[in-house]
Amino acid sequence: MAELLRVEGLSKRFGDVEAVRGIGFAVREGICFGLLGPNGAGKTTTLEILEGLTKADSGRILYRGEERGRDFLKRIGIQFQNTAMQDFLTVRENLKLFSAFYEQTLPIDQLVGLCALGEFLDRDARKLSGGQRQRLLLAMALVNDPELLFLDEPTTGLDPQARRNFWQLVRGIKARGKTVILTTHYMDEAEMLCDEIAVMDHGRIIAQDAPHKLLAEHFDGVLVRLPANGQAPDLPFPIEKRGDYYEFTSRDLDASLRALLDADLSLTGMQIQKPNLEDLFIKLTGHQLRG
Amino acid sequence: MRRFLAVLHTRSLEFIRDRAALGWNFAFPFFLIIGFAFAFSGEGKPLYKIGLLGDSPAARAEHAFLRLRHIEFVAYEQEAQAVERVRTHRIQLLLDLKQNRYFLNEDNAQGYIAEQLLLGSEPGVFQKAAVTGKALRYVDWVLPGILSMNMMFSCLFGVGYVLVRYRKNGMLKRFKATPLTALEFLSAQVVSRLLLILVVSAIVFFGSKLLIGFEMKGSYLALLVLAALGALAMIALGLLTASSTGSEEFAGGLLNVLSWPMMFLSGVWFSLEGTPPLLQQAAQFLPLTHLVDGARAVMNDGAGLIEIAPHLAVLAGMTAVLMAISAKLFRWEAS
């Protein structure tokens, strides 16, 4: 697939804070690319530089192999993290307003279908629920039928049901051949939506690949956790203490469990799971994603 | 153009649907005007002033009358303007020191007392010239000021405050991410407010005319042009205060600092005639002064476009300068 966006040596500093420290990556056309990381990792800054809203201190961004011109704004759609909408306007009027800004637009009916806005099309935008609001913001990002869609933490603050609905919409958009770049600090969101992810921490990209490849590369086996009470158990393989748990990766679960029983450990409260991106992040950075 | 019209349309919808603000825009001036009509009904506010034509230190030394205490003497340059003041009872007597004449409105009781004082202190010096005319009620005089003031508040806060709110809550940033240009966005804000404030003012104007029947002597066209230019100058001032800040508190403070002195220094409530010259000169730098003076010239004295042309020119100049600076300083995002 053709390369849509290429980023080289991007840096941005705000006063004393180095928000982005020389990052680079490429986004192929038609994929969903995720920027992952905890709050303050530099995801939003990176996204705003890509969108053209913030100027980078150094680095280069190529769109279809060329520097971005004034027309770039017409080809992209953006959903910000926090956006207020014009007061006293209905959902339909908001869409009409934004449609008027572009020469080429999707018909409103199609937007309504794409983002499931039908039930509240004539409601005042301030009276929408969190999930409905995000759907409207997504529709506003899609009015110009963009080639490239930016979503900045699109499901933060939504309830589980609303998040699942939103993911469904994003998959639908991807199916129409659009390229999506999103930021998130939810690892499950990245696993559900992204074809490729870049994990950011302190302004740097610390890992980048398809989610399953990253997991295969960094974890060999399943993750076993035991409640940590009493002294450290004596086992024939290394274990690590993380918070209230002992943790180890097992390639041969039968052998590992036998060893635990031999050591006379209680298995009450034990968890066994396939490692996910959350575990990967902790492994890579040594700290939790949130908190 | 399409983008401009879309923003214009939505901003106007927002204004009309915001019932609280809309009500305020109407209720405030009506309240004041009706209050003043009752408070100062009848004789009107007593203004004990005597006008002078050809005032000079030499004349002051020569005439014993001018040394009387507790009388306010106000110097005028133009005879026609000063005589109009006598006609409408705004001054009790006008002394022409060059031609030794005095103008008196015989219907004015205070004018009669002033005449007796003059004849008592300097018998036989001055010739009498009688003029006639109905007293200008205080409400007739104050109404142009209240309309102008309402216009000022609506423009300054309606544009300035709203723009800062848009910037603070991220709406401007959202617009920045579209092909909408700053010029399209800002001109839509300006035109929307201009049209709406003209409509609001017209409704208040004719509503008050129906309720209390004030005088409108001059040309409606002149008043409309004046109102439009005055509103533009205020909107430009509002834009300037809101050009780059993202703090509603800061913008609110700045708008108050601008609007309150204007309200008192521009002669909305009391005439600046007879106040220190420095104050009067300072007032010339305030757009509200030109709006109020122009509106009084049209409504009270029957002026037309030509008579108020200097005010129009100053307002147009202020608008151009303020708009240019605010366009230069404008930011979509708070720094």
Side-chain angles (χ1 to χ4, degrees):
Chain A
M1 252 184 283
E3 188 177 287
L4 191 69
L5 195 76
R6 166 165 288 276
V7 179
E8 291 168 358
L10 211 61
S11 293
K12 178 71 186 178
R13 166 189 282 279
F14 295 108
D16 284 343
V17 184
E18 275 189 83
V20 180
R21 312 181 187 204
I23 63 170
F25 55 86
V27 180
R28 282 171 295 124
E29 192 163 5
I31 70 161
C32 178
F33 185 91
L35 280 169
L36 271 76
N39 292 329
K43 306 185 300 288
T44 297
T45 306
T46 304
L47 206 64
E48 289 191 355
I49 294 172
L50 298 187
E51 292 158 352
L53 295 178
T54 303
K55 259 189 137 55
D57 295 335
S58 60
R60 199 157 82 116
I61 297 165
L62 299 177
Y63 184 73
R64 295 194 187 282
E66 290 170 27
E67 293 282 338
R68 297 162 303 163
R70 176 83 196 151
D71 264 5
F72 183 64
L73 277 179
K74 297 180 185 169
R75 301 199 189 173
I76 62 170
I78 301 178
Q79 180 181 346
F80 288 120
Q81 223 174 100
N82 315 300
T83 302
M85 274 166 282
Q86 186 118 10
D87 292 340
F88 303 100
L89 286 194
T90 65
V91 170
R92 187 198 301 274
E93 285 163 345
N94 266 299
L95 291 177
K96 275 194 182 157
L97 173 66
F98 276 77
S99 292
F101 296 161
Y102 299 92
E103 275 100 44
Q104 293 199 329
T105 53
L106 282 181
I108 300 236
D109 295 344
Q110 203 176 335
L111 285 172
V112 170
L114 264 176
C115 301
L117 305 175
E119 311 156 39
F120 49 91
L121 194 53
D122 291 307
R123 197 175 300 168
D124 187 323
R126 287 173 307 172
K127 292 180 184 146
L128 301 181
S129 73
Q132 293 171 335
R133 207 183 125 79
Q134 289 307 93
R135 269 139 71 192
L136 169 58
L137 288 176
L138 181 66
M140 282 158 72
L142 291 172
V143 282
N144 56 327
D145 198 16
E147 297 168 353
L148 175 58
L149 183 66
F150 292 98
L151 306 174
D152 193 3
E153 298 192 9
T155 64
T156 298
L158 297 191
D159 62 56
Q161 185 63 38
R163 294 182 68 207
R164 261 159 230 291
N165 290 342
F166 196 87
W167 292 344
Q168 202 57 47
L169 298 181
V170 174
R171 280 202 210 97
I173 290 161
K174 237 181 76 185
R176 301 179 72 242
K178 309 291 175 192
T179 310
V180 181
I181 299 182
L182 64 83
T183 70
T184 182
H185 56 220
Y186 295 120
M187 293 298 138
D188 54 346
E189 184 160 286
E191 284 185 276
M192 295 299 282
L193 293 178
C194 297
D195 304 298
E196 200 172 321
I197 57 170
V199 182
M200 283 189 83
D201 195 31
H202 299 300
R204 288 204 178 85
I205 292 179
I206 52 177
Q208 183 187 343
D209 211 332
H212 65 272
K213 284 190 191 158
L214 278 177
L215 290 173
E217 182 184 331
H218 289 278
F219 293 100
D220 191 8
V222 297
L223 211 59
V224 181
R225 287 200 184 96
L226 280 171
N229 33 25
Q231 75 278 23
D234 186 22
L235 292 170
F237 45 83
I239 59 169
E240 270 181 276
K241 188 163 190 286
R242 287 199 197 280
D244 296 334
Y245 285 91
Y246 291 117
E247 194 178 284
F248 62 89
T249 316
S250 166
R251 296 166 74 173
D252 182 350
L253 196 56
D254 293 327
S256 303
L257 291 185
R258 235 173 273 124
L260 291 178
L261 289 171
D262 289 346
D264 217 10
L265 278 170
S266 160
L267 301 187
T268 311
M270 185 179 66
Q271 297 173 12
I272 299 171
Q273 58 177 244
K274 251 177 77 179
N276 57 24
L277 287 178
E278 192 103 29
D279 304 309
L280 173 69
F281 187 82
I282 292 166
K283 187 175 172 199
L284 288 172
T285 65
H287 59 82
Q288 300 276 338
L289 260 172
R290 273 159 284 163
Chain B
M1 195 61 189
R2 197 162 46 99
R3 294 196 278 263
F4 162 81
L5 287 176
V7 178
L8 173 66
H9 175 70
T10 50
R11 177 69 190 106
S12 308
L13 267 186
E14 182 185 17
F15 179 88
I16 292 164
R17 288 184 188 168
D18 185 359
R19 297 278 153 71
L22 187 65
W24 205 223
N25 265 283
F26 283 108
F28 185 53
F30 266 127
F31 218 54
L32 285 173
I33 291 164
I34 291 166
F36 276 101
F38 280 110
F40 298 103
S41 55
E43 285 298 296
K45 191 185 173 202
L47 296 163
Y48 211 84
K49 283 183 184 171
I50 289 179
L52 300 175
L53 283 170
D55 186 24
S56 69
R60 292 262 176 169
E62 186 190 335
H63 294 285
F65 179 66
L66 301 186
R67 291 195 294 276
L68 287 181
R69 290 187 296 160
H70 304 300
I71 295 179
E72 190 182 350
F73 293 101
V74 182
Y76 290 93
E77 300 294 328
Q78 291 161 332
E79 185 179 315
Q81 183 200 8
V83 171
E84 183 65 27
R85 295 282 191 278
V86 180
R87 200 186 297 282
T88 52
H89 300 219
R90 274 182 281 176
I91 55 177
Q92 280 74 42
L93 202 67
L94 174 66
L95 272 185
D96 184 347
L97 297 166
K98 286 180 191 145
Q99 300 180 39
N100 285 356
R101 293 183 295 170
Y102 69 92
F103 296 85
L104 172 72
N105 186 333
E106 303 210 307
D107 297 337
N108 187 337
Q110 286 173 312
Y112 174 76
I113 307 288
E115 182 188 25
Q116 296 310 310
L117 286 171
L118 174 68
L119 298 178
S121 54
E122 295 182 68
V125 179
F126 293 96
Q127 296 290 313
K128 176 170 175 171
V131 298
T132 54
K134 270 205 318 190
L136 179 74
R137 291 178 306 162
Y138 181 60
V139 65
D140 290 331
W141 180 84
V142 84
L143 187 125
I146 292 178
L147 282 175
S148 305
M149 188 185 70
N150 188 54
M151 205 172 241
M152 171 188 77
F153 278 117
S154 175
C155 293
L156 283 183
F157 285 86
V159 172
Y161 216 65
V162 166
L163 211 55
V164 174
R165 202 183 68 220
Y166 283 176
R167 186 179 292 113
K168 190 180 173 186
N169 66 21
M171 216 173 80
L172 290 190
K173 188 172 152 189
R174 186 64 191 82
F175 285 146
K176 185 190 179 188
T178 72
L180 181 72
T181 65
L183 183 70
E184 288 165 339
F185 174 75
L186 287 178
S187 43
Q189 300 297 314
V190 171
V191 173
S192 162
R193 178 57 52 161
L194 176 64
L195 293 177
L196 292 163
I197 191 63
L198 287 179
V199 170
V200 167
S201 296
I203 292 172
V204 173
F205 182 95
F206 290 107
S208 306
K209 201 159 167 54
L210 246 126
L211 279 171
I212 57 171
F214 60 85
E215 286 212 70
M216 165 62 186
K217 290 185 175 166
S219 123
Y220 277 99
L221 176 68
L223 198 60
L224 180 67
V225 174
L226 178 79
L229 275 173
L232 278 175
M234 304 291 185
I235 292 169
L237 193 58
L239 281 182
L240 181 62
T241 57
S243 55
S244 64
T245 179
S247 156
E248 278 166 311
E249 287 77 12
F250 176 77
L254 199 58
L255 289 170
N256 276 316
V257 162
L258 285 171
S259 54
W260 282 80
M262 268 214 266
M263 192 163 80
F264 289 113
L265 294 182
S266 298
V268 170
W269 304 108
F270 48 83
S271 171
L272 289 183
E273 285 171 3
T275 57
L278 193 70
L279 193 72
Q280 295 188 36
Q281 281 158 18
Q284 294 305 308
F285 289 97
L286 307 174
L288 187 60
T289 306
H290 295 278
L291 183 56
V292 171
D293 287 358
R296 286 205 177 114
V298 174
M299 291 168 66
N300 297 341
D301 305 335
L305 272 176
I306 296 166
E307 287 87 349
I308 59 165
H311 292 306
L312 297 180
V314 172
L315 287 173
M318 283 180 174
T319 306
V321 171
L322 292 170
M323 290 270 184
I325 300 175
S326 8
K328 187 97 184 142
L329 294 180
F330 179 76
R331 296 284 176 274
W332 293 103
E333 289 174 75
S335 44

